[in-house]
Amino acid sequence: MSRASQTSPVIETARRAKEAATALAPLPRTARDGALLAIADALTARTDEIVAANAADVEKARAAGTPDAIVDRLTLTPERIAAIASDVRDVVALPDPVGEVVRGSTLPNGLELRQVRVPLGVVGIVYEARPNVTVDAAALCLKSGNAVLLRGSSSAYSSNTALVAVVRDAVASAGLPADAVQLVPGESRDSVKELMRARGLVDVLIPRGGASLIKAVVEESTVPVIETGTGNCHVYVDERADLDMAVDILVNSKAQRPSVCNAAETVLVHEGIAAAFLPRALAALEKAGVTVHGDEAWVEAGEAEGVKVVPAVEEDWETEYLSYDIAAAVVPSLDAAVEHIRRWTSGHTEAIVTADTAAARRFVSLVDSTAVMVNASTRFTDGGQFGFGAEIGISTQKLHARGPMGLPELTSTKYVVTGDGHVRG
Amino acid sequence: MSRASQTSPVIETARRAKEAATALAPLPRTARDGALLAIADALTARTDEIVAANAADVEKARAAGTPDAIVDRLTLTPERIAAIASDVRDVVALPDPVGEVVRGSTLPNGLELRQVRVPLGVVGIVYEARPNVTVDAAALCLKSGNAVLLRGSSSAYSSNTALVAVVRDAVASAGLPADAVQLVPGESRDSVKELMRARGLVDVLIPRGGASLIKAVVEESTVPVIETGTGNCHVYVDERADLDMAVDILVNSKAQRPSVCNAAETVLVHEGIAAAFLPRALAALEKAGVTVHGDEAWVEAGEAEGVKVVPAVEEDWETEYLSYDIAAAVVPSLDAAVEHIRRWTSGHTEAIVTADTAAARRFVSLVDSTAVMVNASTRFTDGGQFGFGAEIGISTQKLHARGPMGLPELTSTKYVVTGDGHVRG
């Protein structure tokens, strides 16, 4: 294994994380859960300190003219800190992924083979804005026996520094190495770059945030990366869709929470149902405050219904709006819908609305995305909704983990082979 | 997903592979198995043609003064081709990984959640010398529903060209796209570089071969890589080892087949058993034709026994000899052995020989490698030995696959979520 040979504050942090990971790996569940409970208690006990540190970030953000919605996401109140502590307690209750025997058998020669889940080692998380991610990520990594390197947004630096100090003290008080949780030093992009080149020290890097951050990490990192979160999701309304169901799913997929990665960004409608569906969809979308960027058929329907439809340009098909906007087209067939999706999707979630089982089966088999919904909203692609209890992100790549990543996705495996003097003949 | 935008013969090949992968993904097992049977038949029917093409490579290799052992590995005889065809038939008999439901549940709201295995898409394999890998890799990729891009060694170019022509004809005759199996054009390293940058077209790159090839691919590739095969494996003889067992396991691990990645390269001996073990080990290793590169304790034992021991230098600890050589040291404790292993291992396979269950348990929990053997030879880390039926390589990395990679490791998963109009509240 090649190791980063140069040194710097970031590399030194990674080295300490690797040592902490080595110490963490053999610890039993009780030790890791004890640290998590200590973290939850400390967050409650030291709420004032965290709120004060957060106030500095909030003030700086307001002074810089940051939009209210972003300032709100940045803000920590005693209630929000209590909720974060409660989430940590929920993680304690989740099953321990470490030590799970994934596969096992006794081989014909009597060797006992077991494939056992083990921690990955050092997990690097690069994320933006929300300081609750700091604690969530630390809790999930500790639960799965990993050391974590946290590289949050500079706009939350003061909050993150306070949170990590509280977490580290709690971890140490529980007898675990404090360096299992560390903030990556430095506020510039250079520290992210150093993290990306720390192959041999960092086992995986998980970028969470905007598309440009993720693209940069994916392309430049020599540390293995798990790509997350970009969601250009589609809803396809098939020729044999129930119209009410299609309208409900479309509006929910788009407008229930437009700022997240599992919100729909494009609707495709089979031409056989377009005349019946488009007027109802336009009315419902307008009511939900959604602007449609449509092809010719949608523009015409809009004119007929008196709803303003913006003519779509090619860029609309690849845009992840994350806002009350949706691209819309009419397609001649299910296969044409699939082709459109294959061309433009980010591979996150696509939904079909249909009463036709053969159509559903074909759509599911041809669409190559993380999740395919049949008669359900795209908004369900989520670790919480899937019953995983927690999620560290939604992987849109094919290797290692695909879809919402829970605790098992933060582990690797090791083969343990036991004999009584077995040699190969 | 970013897509390679430039074009070239390599990129065009990758584009065709992606199209073929799209066509392959929805096909049922019978279609894929039919193509594999057609390949096996065609290899037998066109043996003469393959032998003739191979003769050109063999002649070129001989003229270039290639060592006999390498020429032998390159050589295809009718018997060897029959064996390759037989291996393809064995792959047909393996369980189909595609469509396996890995996880499934009905969520509290009634949504049906299934996590289903799907092909990865396009798999690139970069390998050296042996032309049998060409057919093996194609068979495993087809069985798992993937298109494959094969980039073999230039020394086997004529053989590989003939083999791939036979395979493609057979695949097409079975009604599958011939482009599911393609040789990457070009014999220079540039074609590997282009493959490494074809992110969005190639889903995973698996380098099989020497350490320098693997290092280059791991560091330069933007396509996700599965690192394989470098094996600096250790045998640790604990204070409470059975001496006969320890000698057998040591000699088998080192000398049963020294040229492979799961052969041992270093032996570590607890000081409490060194006086009893070293003389016996030296005699057995000498008999097996192995040269010991030892620390002071081993050199002294060698002098006492009249066996030549080469004084070890630091480089020996990190060397994957792949020959009848072994590095050897005496350590003060199990923990010291673990520390040595953690520092120098490539993360492949380590073995402990001990009668002490607590020692075995501690070694297993502290060693962070793909496979840990307790009282068994390192040589058992192998897909065939593990009962996987076939292997595409042995991953020494932690993400996606770790250890021998069988068919499931050539797949990803997709979540299929079925409702009857479910929306999020």
Side-chain angles (χ1 to χ4, degrees), chain B residues 115-306:
Chain B
Q115 185 182 13
V116 183
R117 278 201 194 285
V118 295
L120 282 168
V122 177
V123 177
I125 318 247
V126 183
Y127 56 104
E128 291 172 350
R130 293 187 301 163
N132 63 313
V133 172
T134 305
V135 179
D136 284 356
L140 291 172
C141 288
L142 279 177
K143 175 79 183 182
S144 50
N146 295 294
V148 65
L149 292 173
L150 297 158
R151 207 296 184 178
S153 152
S154 58
S155 65
Y157 197 74
S158 169
S159 314
N160 288 339
T161 303
L163 287 167
V164 168
V166 170
V167 168
R168 285 170 56 90
D169 288 351
V171 167
S173 77
L176 270 61
D179 286 340
V181 180
Q182 292 180 89
L183 213 56
V184 175
E187 296 185 54
S188 79
R189 274 268 168 130
D190 288 352
S191 66
V192 180
K193 287 203 171 151
E194 285 189 64
L195 208 54
M196 296 191 307
R197 312 300 291 186
R199 191 176 175 91
L201 294 174
V202 181
D203 291 290
V204 60
L205 212 51
I206 306 177
R208 288 178 54 163
S212 76
L213 166 71
I214 291 167
K215 188 166 185 286
V217 174
V218 162
E219 295 195 346
E220 292 173 38
S221 184
T222 58
V223 170
V225 171
I226 296 181
E227 202 175 340
T228 70
T230 317
N232 180 16
C233 303
H234 296 73
V235 173
Y236 166 61
V237 180
D238 186 46
E239 187 169 20
R240 289 200 46 210
D242 177 288
L243 289 177
D244 289 335
M245 187 192 288
V247 169
D248 285 353
I249 287 175
L250 171 59
V251 172
N252 188 262
S253 296
K254 175 69 256 182
Q256 198 247 352
R257 197 169 167 205
S259 63
V260 292
C261 61
N262 59 17
E265 306 293 5
T266 298
V267 55
L268 303 170
V269 180
H270 192 290
E271 64 179 13
I273 202 173
F277 181 71
L278 266 50
R280 295 173 69 159
L282 283 166
L285 289 168
E286 189 182 40
K287 196 174 156 205
V290 176
T291 301
V292 174
H293 303 250
D295 67 357
E296 212 172 306
W298 280 84
V299 170
E300 279 172 21
E303 282 163 5
E305 300 297 317

Side-chain angles (χ1 to χ4, degrees), chain A residues 18-238:
Chain A
K18 194 176 166 75
E19 272 175 41
T22 302
L24 277 182
L27 294 179
R29 171 175 185 163
T30 46
R32 287 175 273 125
D33 282 355
L36 292 175
L37 291 171
I39 291 170
D41 290 345
L43 287 168
T44 311
R46 293 169 68 177
T47 293
D48 293 351
E49 186 182 327
I50 298 165
V51 169
N54 178 251
D57 288 332
V58 169
E59 197 177 320
K60 215 169 64 179
R62 283 235 171 79
T66 308
D68 284 352
I70 307 280
V71 172
D72 180 61
R73 284 173 54 179
L74 178 62
T75 304
L76 291 173
T77 62
E79 292 70 32
R80 286 181 178 182
I81 294 168
I84 294 172
S86 167
D87 287 345
V88 173
R89 285 180 213 280
D90 289 345
V91 172
V92 174
L94 292 174
D96 186 5
V98 179
E100 185 198 347
V101 178
V102 176
R103 176 153 59 172
S105 64
T106 302
L107 303 178
N109 59 6
L111 274 179
E112 286 170 24
L113 179 73
R114 284 180 299 142
Q115 185 182 15
V116 183
R117 279 202 193 283
V118 295
L120 282 168
V122 177
V123 177
I125 318 248
V126 183
Y127 56 104
E128 292 172 350
R130 293 186 301 162
N132 64 312
V133 172
T134 306
V135 180
D136 284 356
L140 291 172
C141 287
L142 279 176
K143 175 80 183 183
S144 50
N146 296 294
V148 65
L149 292 173
L150 298 157
R151 207 298 186 174
S153 150
S154 58
S155 65
Y157 196 75
S158 169
S159 313
N160 288 338
T161 302
L163 287 167
V164 168
V166 170
V167 168
R168 286 170 56 92
D169 288 351
V171 167
S173 78
L176 269 61
D179 286 339
V181 181
Q182 292 179 88
L183 215 55
V184 174
E187 296 185 53
S188 78
R189 275 266 169 131
D190 288 351
S191 66
V192 180
K193 286 203 171 150
E194 286 190 63
L195 208 54
M196 295 191 309
R197 312 300 292 188
R199 190 175 176 91
L201 293 174
V202 180
D203 291 289
V204 60
L205 211 53
I206 306 176
R208 289 178 53 163
S212 77
L213 166 72
I214 291 167
K215 188 165 184 287
V217 175
V218 162
E219 294 195 348
E220 292 173 37
S221 184
T222 59
V223 170
V225 171
I226 297 180
E227 203 175 340
T228 70
T230 318
N232 180 15
C233 302
H234 297 72
V235 172
Y236 166 61
V237 180
D238 186 47

